[in-house]
Amino acid sequence: MSASESIAQGMNPAQREAVLYLDGPCLVLAGAGSGKTRVITQKIAYLLRECGYMGRNVVALTFTNKAAREMDERVKTLVDRKLSKGLIISTFHSLGVKMLREEARNAGLKPTFSILDADDAMSIIQELLATTDKGRLRHVQGIISLWKNALMEPDDAAREAITPGDVEAANIYRSYAATLAAYQAVDFDDLIRIPALLLSSNEEVRTRWQNRVRYLLVDEYQDTNVCQYRLVQLLTGSRAMFTAVGDDDQAIYAWRGATIENLAKLTTDYPSIKLIKLEQNYRSVQRILAAANQVIEKNPKLFEKKLWSDLGVGEPILVSAMDGEEQEAESIAMKVSASRFERQAQWKDFAILYRSNHQSRILEQALRNLKIPYTISGGQSFFDKAEVRDVLAYLRLLANDDDDPAFIRAATTPKRGIGQTTLQALGQYAASREISLLAAVAETGLESQLAPRQLDPLRTFAEFIRRMQWRAGRGAASGKDAAPAEPAGVILDDLVEAIQYERHLFELFEERPAQTRWQNVLELTGWLKRKAEEDNMTLFDLVQHVALVTMLERGEEDEPDAVKMSTLHASKGLEYPHVYLAGVEEGLLPHLGKDDEDGDPARAAENLATRIQEERRLMYVGITRAQRSLNLSWCKRRRRAREDLVREPSRFIEEMGLGDVRVQEDEATAAMNPKERMAMLKALLKK
DNA sequence: CAGCTATTCGTTTTT
DNA sequence: CGAATAGCTG
């Protein structure tokens, strides 16, 4: 057996071809469950083990940290440590940070630039827009993000803006960009945009990176936006040594700028590209796959492909019409419980999927009532929690004086006598002198602007920050005489202690919530300390690293035996033996927001069609998560805000073509009162 | 300035 | 129904 054969053993011909093809660019159209991760990991192994590629010359990009980590782990089992040294498997955003950190000077940033999260960005836009209209704010933030992802500068945006609203948004975009520059900060979109711009404008940088990235692999290619496509192009250059893996039927991120056209564009930009289709599904039973295929058939297709499976027919797919959302939740919880018992399965074999986050609350409650262990993925990230952001604000400020949003957050939490009016005066002064808030505090000119009782807390705060910066070795970083940098862990502990954050939490919240919040803080500092030691990172390295990491990346904690709850978006790439899809209703699963404001009916109709197609793909993703059994449910009535709404089953249920079993009234459970239900469940569990 | 109460308000999906 | 915000009092 030759070496290359040994790498690709146990793979089907298409998979093997995808792994071994190295004559040029390669596009792998990988249907759901067709083993695309396997192809990518095997290909990395092949490159490193058989083709003499050095670890540092291979880059694999994903969209989520979780996917990156998973891939990394799988590669580690295939390839010797020595060979994979320097190998980059990361998200687009992490690669962007890495590039930005190494090329900060070329990008006009200081090495300790800050990364703003969506909330910080939103407050900046709010200031610039001078409005409290939430809808308007979201719209403007969204459109700026889309512009950035389409590689449009403020000038381009202004030129293309038609409505007065868009013209205003373009102006905000301009000042927003200026504000970020003043803060020495970048937002999430910039993490990819700026490296792409840098590569295209600076030949020296471009050559350096092209020499470094000898082979590039991109996962979930259908979710790339214009900016990411550009980055891929610039990194691979004319050599074009890359493999893109994607599935147009699973494109569910158009709303954040992803364009499926990128898949088609690949075949026109690289006419010689090798097209390989992965059509055998190794995940789902035939009935499930058939339903998925029937649904997605209603969408216009970019590439013809037919998924098939030889895993047997499987059980019927069940659809339940429920009266209301609490019945639905209860019914799902009971079915999961009963099914686990009947099948002698584990909790972690079950997943409950839903369209939007707020559905999770009631489901959670139902699971708790039946003492069913669960974990939620998607939803609020660990790093979005207020207490975590509070502590991180201090770290950001330590690293970057110019990070005004961090200054404001740190200076006001915990409360230390610095309030709105003080900050406003300080802000005005800083703006007139064109310096950061932190720098402004030290100026003597400020004394005429503020009363001592306002000034004192500011000075105390700034001194505290300066002292911490010094201890963290800031002097050395900025080239001044060296301060002995203390370990990041020690500084971190001292800082949290010094601001009396624990006391702050217990004053602000009840005993129990305060405790969980404090636990979160301890978890954060613990994680940071570990990271600092393991990877020998300074406090400043940590701050930038942390900005991108989601809770899914922390710790190697092995998965507990628990039911998974997840949004459909967050479920992509995962698989479960038994899947429950909740809220499969018109208005929820095809979630169709309000109609477009601008009055062109033709465009509005087209828009609607596009949106339904994306919702359909979402449904497709949901169905194809299931390996063996699939349960759908919808509510005839759903309470929203004040009113009760009558709901219709989702059109996608019809489209699945389930025939007679299509709608099963769930009389058995719906007719019972809660007491009876509990009794029935207990009897079931006793058996 | 900070903490409390009254009122408004709203609802997709996330790196 | 529940959470974020505005407005008032100590």
Side-chain angles (χ1 to χ4, degrees):
Chain A
M1 196 189 285
S2 84
S4 58
E5 273 166 355
S6 86
I7 275 264
Q9 68 179 290
M11 305 188 97
N12 67 37
Q15 290 176 328
R16 195 174 307 128
E17 191 181 17
V19 169
L20 301 182
Y21 185 83
L22 282 179
D23 296 340
C26 179
L27 171 59
V28 181
L29 294 167
S34 63
K36 72 183 166 75
T37 310
R38 185 126 184 269
V39 165
I40 296 177
T41 51
Q42 291 286 346
K43 189 153 193 170
I44 294 172
Y46 177 60
L47 289 168
L48 298 180
R49 276 168 38 182
E50 315 292 341
C51 307
Y53 276 86
M54 308 258 285
R56 58 173 277 111
N57 290 327
V58 176
V59 175
L61 296 178
T62 64
F63 276 84
T64 65
N65 290 298
K66 195 169 70 178
R69 213 181 114 215
E70 230 171 71
M71 206 172 277
D72 195 53
E73 272 163 16
R74 283 169 75 164
V75 168
K76 273 191 190 132
T77 67
L78 295 172
V79 180
D80 202 71
R81 257 250 163 68
K82 274 175 247 154
L83 284 177
S84 66
K85 191 162 179 293
L87 171 71
I88 295 178
I89 300 180
S90 78
T91 61
F92 272 93
H93 296 268
S94 303
L95 176 71
V97 174
K98 196 180 180 64
M99 294 181 68
L100 226 41
R101 186 136 21 107
E102 286 176 30
E103 308 290 346
R105 255 167 269 269
N106 286 315
L109 284 167
K110 61 180 177 192
T112 55
F113 66 90
S114 293
I115 301 167
L116 299 185
D117 58 44
D119 276 5
D120 295 319
M122 179 66 97
S123 356
I124 293 171
I125 292 169
Q126 187 174 28
E127 292 241 319
L128 295 172
L129 253 180
T131 179
T132 52
D133 178 354
K134 208 123 188 262
R136 177 76 185 136
L137 281 170
R138 290 168 86 95
H139 176 75
V140 172
Q141 188 181 33
I143 201 168
I144 290 177
S145 175
L146 288 176
W147 280 331
K148 284 192 168 191
N149 288 330
L151 281 173
M152 288 167 69
E153 297 296 318
D155 286 341
D156 305 316
R159 207 173 308 120
E160 293 205 1
I162 306 164
T163 66
D166 286 357
V167 173
E168 189 194 21
N171 284 325
I172 299 296
Y173 178 18
R174 196 186 310 279
S175 16
Y176 172 73
T179 309
L180 290 200
Y183 292 168
Q184 285 289 304
V186 299
D187 63 20
F188 273 120
D189 301 320
D190 287 337
L191 293 178
I192 297 157
R193 194 185 64 103
I194 299 178
L197 291 177
L198 193 60
L199 287 177
S200 87
S201 67
N202 187 325
E203 199 188 334
E204 190 262 321
V205 173
R206 184 168 63 243
T207 313
R208 187 144 37 80
W209 280 92
Q210 286 182 352
N211 281 332
R212 164 122 193 234
V213 183
R214 313 294 290 198
Y215 203 94
L216 182 69
L217 301 102
V218 186
D219 193 13
E220 307 280 14
Y221 197 83
Q222 77 282 351
D223 288 332
T224 53
N225 57 40
V226 169
C227 194
Q228 286 157 336
Y229 185 94
R230 192 88 191 103
L231 187 69
V232 169
Q233 267 189 323
L234 289 162
L235 280 174
T236 54
S238 55
R239 219 175 19 223
M241 289 297 273
F242 66 83
T243 295
V245 182
D247 179 5
D248 45 321
D249 291 334
Q250 294 185 68
I252 54 176
Y253 286 106
W255 53 272
R256 72 175 197 210
T259 64
I260 318 182
E261 289 81 56
N262 277 354
L263 273 175
K265 200 163 179 291
L266 224 40
T267 59
T268 54
D269 285 355
Y270 301 90
S272 71
I273 197 166
K274 177 76 176 176
L275 207 78
I276 298 171
K277 291 178 187 176
L278 266 36
E279 297 179 299
Q280 179 173 4
N281 173 295
Y282 294 97
R283 176 185 297 156
S284 307
V285 119
Q286 281 156 0
R287 250 204 269 252
I288 290 172
L289 206 54
N293 279 336
Q294 296 227 49
V295 169
I296 205 63
E297 219 167 69
K298 274 75 184 178
N299 268 6
K301 34 197 155 292
L302 221 49
F303 299 95
E304 197 64 50
K305 90 174 128 44
K306 39 186 188 315
L307 268 186
W308 58 278
S309 153
D310 64 3
L311 296 180
V313 182
E315 311 163 28
I317 295 167
L318 295 182
V319 180
S320 314
M322 307 304 301
D323 281 332
E325 52 204 313
E326 51 282 284
Q327 281 95 331
E328 180 185 43
E330 230 170 291
S331 157
I332 290 174
M334 285 185 53
K335 282 181 179 158
V336 167
S337 200
S339 176
R340 184 189 80 121
F341 178 79
E342 282 163 16
R343 300 172 195 272
Q344 297 289 303
Q346 294 186 288
W347 292 123
K348 63 166 179 242
D349 294 334
F350 294 85
I352 305 173
L353 308 180
Y354 37 85
R355 172 68 235 259
S356 48
N357 273 310
H358 68 261
Q359 290 175 262
S360 69
R361 190 185 314 267
I362 188 127
L363 288 163
E364 233 180 310
Q365 223 160 55
L367 292 178
R368 249 201 310 263
N369 285 341
L370 296 189
K371 309 252 186 294
I372 299 174
Y374 63 87
T375 54
I376 297 184
S377 67
Q380 201 194 26
S381 145
F382 180 72
F383 290 94
D384 283 339
K385 292 175 193 292
E387 60 274 21
V388 172
R389 284 165 50 84
D390 284 343
V391 174
L392 289 180
Y394 280 88
L395 299 191
R396 270 165 53 190
L397 185 58
L398 289 188
N400 177 10
D401 285 6
D402 294 312
D403 193 337
D404 285 352
F407 179 95
I408 292 169
R409 190 170 187 115
T412 53
T413 37
K415 303 290 174 213
R416 49 163 66 81
I418 300 173
Q420 272 307 309
T421 44
T422 309
L423 280 176
Q424 221 152 19
L426 179 67
Q428 252 167 31
Y429 179 82
S432 69
R433 305 271 346 257
E434 295 187 312
I435 53 175
S436 70
L437 294 177
L438 184 61
V441 177
E443 299 228 331
T444 44
L446 191 63
E447 280 154 23
S448 58
Q449 308 294 313
L450 285 168
R453 64 175 307 138
Q454 292 178 301
L455 197 55
D456 282 347
L458 277 177
R459 291 262 155 95
T460 312
F461 175 69
E463 266 165 40
F464 169 69
I465 295 298
R466 292 295 182 203
R467 198 163 57 245
M468 284 300 185
Q469 284 177 330
W470 178 255
R471 290 181 50 187
R474 230 331 248 294
S478 60
K480 288 182 214 152
D481 49 345
E486 297 178 40
V490 178
I491 300 180
L492 205 53
D493 284 338
D494 285 359
L495 183 127
V496 175
E497 171 65 28
I499 63 175
Q500 303 206 58
Y501 196 73
E502 187 177 10
R503 206 187 67 180
H504 162 77
L505 285 178
F506 278 86
E507 278 169 6
L508 207 58
F509 301 102
E510 302 288 332
E511 184 79 11
R512 273 192 69 86
Q515 235 148 36
T516 48
R517 280 166 191 267
W518 179 239
Q519 282 305 313
N520 287 335
V521 171
L522 291 180
E523 196 170 331
L524 173 71
T525 55
W527 182 78
L528 287 171
K529 279 191 280 190
R530 252 190 27 232
K531 205 81 191 158
E533 279 169 31
E534 279 171 17
D535 301 347
N536 201 22
M537 289 170 119
T538 69
L539 211 53
F540 307 127
D541 297 331
L542 279 177
V543 195
Q544 286 177 347
H545 183 73
V546 138
L548 318 157
V549 175
T550 69
M551 70 188 293
L552 296 160
E553 210 201 22
R554 67 208 156 106
E556 289 86 50
E557 60 212 287
D558 19 23
E559 291 185 16
D561 183 26
V563 173
K564 298 276 182 313
M565 292 177 48
S566 166
T567 61
L568 287 168
H569 282 91
S571 78
K572 194 163 69 152
L574 303 176
E575 57 185 12
Y576 308 92
H578 311 291
V579 167
Y580 290 76
L581 216 47
V584 191
E585 296 152 37
E586 281 299 299
L588 230 196
L589 189 27
H591 181 87
L592 305 167
K594 56 275 167 205
D595 306 318
D596 281 338
E597 339 83 57
D598 41 297
D600 186 353
R603 234 187 48 187
E606 201 184 300
N607 219 286
L608 183 71
T610 320
R611 263 157 40 201
I612 288 183
Q613 284 165 24
E614 176 142 330
E615 296 292 311
R616 188 174 281 118
R617 280 182 237 119
L618 210 42
M619 179 76 181
Y620 177 74
V621 167
I623 297 171
T624 53
R625 295 313 92 196
Q627 297 171 314
R628 305 191 44 195
S629 84
L630 177 63
N631 279 54
L632 313 187
S633 56
W634 62 281
C635 299
K636 298 176 200 161
R637 286 172 26 222
R638 191 174 284 270
R639 257 202 319 279
R640 197 185 50 169
R642 278 178 180 71
E643 67 238 307
D644 249 3
L645 290 177
V646 178
R647 294 299 194 111
E648 296 284 315
S650 167
R651 67 192 75 187
F652 301 145
I653 293 179
E654 183 88 42
E655 291 176 4
M656 289 169 76
L658 298 178
D660 301 339
V661 287
R662 199 173 71 235
V663 172
Q664 173 208 50
E665 291 286 337
D666 207 336
E667 303 148 16
T669 52
M672 286 185 217
N673 65 38
K675 259 186 209 156
E676 283 173 322
R677 265 177 277 202
M678 277 305 273
M680 174 183 151
L681 188 80
K682 276 182 189 149
L684 202 65
L685 289 173
K686 247 188 228 160
K687 269 196 264 180

